[in-house]
Amino acid sequence: MGRLGATEVIVILVVVLLLFGGKKIPELMKGLGTGLNEFKKASKGEDSNSNSKKEEEEK
């Protein structure tokens, strides 16, 4: 009872597509990926200041 089948996953994806639209989804996924990377680095104990400096250099 706790597992999602193929039909449920498809329904969820259709609802997300309807709510956010096709253009907004890549932006959401990029933000999610960035957040996950920051979380992983923070859980490993890396300094967040070095991340900020890298992001500033990329801009």
Side-chain angles (χ1 to χ4, degrees), residues 2-33:
R3 298 180 185 253
L4 292 176
T7 307
E8 289 87 1
V9 171
I10 291 171
V11 169
I12 291 170
L13 291 175
V14 168
V15 169
V16 168
L17 183 62
L18 289 173
L19 287 175
F20 295 109
K23 293 183 179 182
K24 189 71 173 172
I25 291 176
E27 295 173 17
L28 291 171
M29 293 299 111
K30 182 179 178 183
L32 181 64

